[in-house]
Amino acid sequence: MAIFNLLSTMLLSLVVMATAGPCDEYSELSDTWRSVKNYTPPLFCDRGLTAGWYRFTGPAGDRIPTVNPVSLLRCGTTAPVWMNGPHPSIADGVVTRQACTFWTFWNAVEPCYNSWNIQVQACPGGFYVYYLTPTPYCSYAYCVGKRLFNMFTF
């Protein structure tokens, strides 16, 4: 009987591990400097960020903005990173979006000055998780905002 219980427990653990997804296995980022409202030094970067699934929590906000932050020196960095494209629904599953940087007058010509792909998933409980990679330059960092109706707060 003890062997049966042990095997049952091991099998259940394997099933749980096999079904765990991004909404269950993520790291939290709660840095207040990531806020779209932050435009004061010191300047940070995400070049050293470990690639993986992240959830934004805390007073700065809970999601990457889907509109560009309007100016340099926002979000605690020189070139703020925003997401080009809407946040998905739970039914959409994991989707790929473009991470974009804001960079002065270049954004008048090309709204997404420099870009790379990230992934995002809507989770039960009303939050999002993002598969983020290190930014290509140290002057870039992921921004965070709070959603109010159809606009992000700046």
Side-chain angles (χ1 to χ4, degrees):
M1 186 67 166
I3 291 176
F4 176 77
N5 287 340
L6 177 63
L7 289 175
S8 296
T9 302
M10 289 173 58
L11 181 60
L12 182 59
S13 296
L14 287 174
V15 169
V16 168
M17 287 183 353
T19 59
C23 292
D24 303 310
E25 299 286 328
Y26 56 82
S27 299
E28 288 190 19
L29 293 174
S30 59
D31 310 298
T32 56
W33 58 261
R34 293 183 184 281
S35 171
V36 293
K37 293 181 179 182
N38 179 21
Y39 53 92
T40 58
L43 300 177
F44 297 92
C45 79
D46 282 324
R47 191 170 185 188
L49 187 73
T50 301
W53 286 99
Y54 291 92
R55 176 184 177 184
F56 293 102
T57 60
D62 62 356
R63 62 195 70 199
I64 296 176
T66 56
V67 294
N68 89 40
V70 185
S71 70
L72 290 174
L73 303 175
R74 292 273 184 162
C75 309
T77 192
T78 304
V81 178
W82 56 284
M83 187 173 77
N84 190 10
H87 280 85
S89 67
I90 291 176
D92 293 330
V94 175
V95 298
T96 300
R97 295 288 186 257
Q98 195 178 31
C100 299
T101 58
F102 181 89
W103 196 258
T104 63
F105 63 90
W106 289 111
N107 285 98
V109 177
E110 175 60 48
C112 194
Y113 172 71
N114 193 354
S115 68
W116 58 95
N117 287 334
I118 61 172
Q119 292 182 305
V120 60
Q121 181 173 7
C123 298
F127 65 92
Y128 296 97
V129 291
Y130 304 86
Y131 188 86
L132 304 178
T133 57
T135 57
Y137 303 101
C138 199
S139 56
Y140 300 170
Y142 294 100
C143 267
V144 180
K146 296 179 183 180
R147 188 173 172 95
L148 295 176
F149 305 106
N150 291 326
M151 299 292 292
F152 282 88
T153 58
F154 291 99

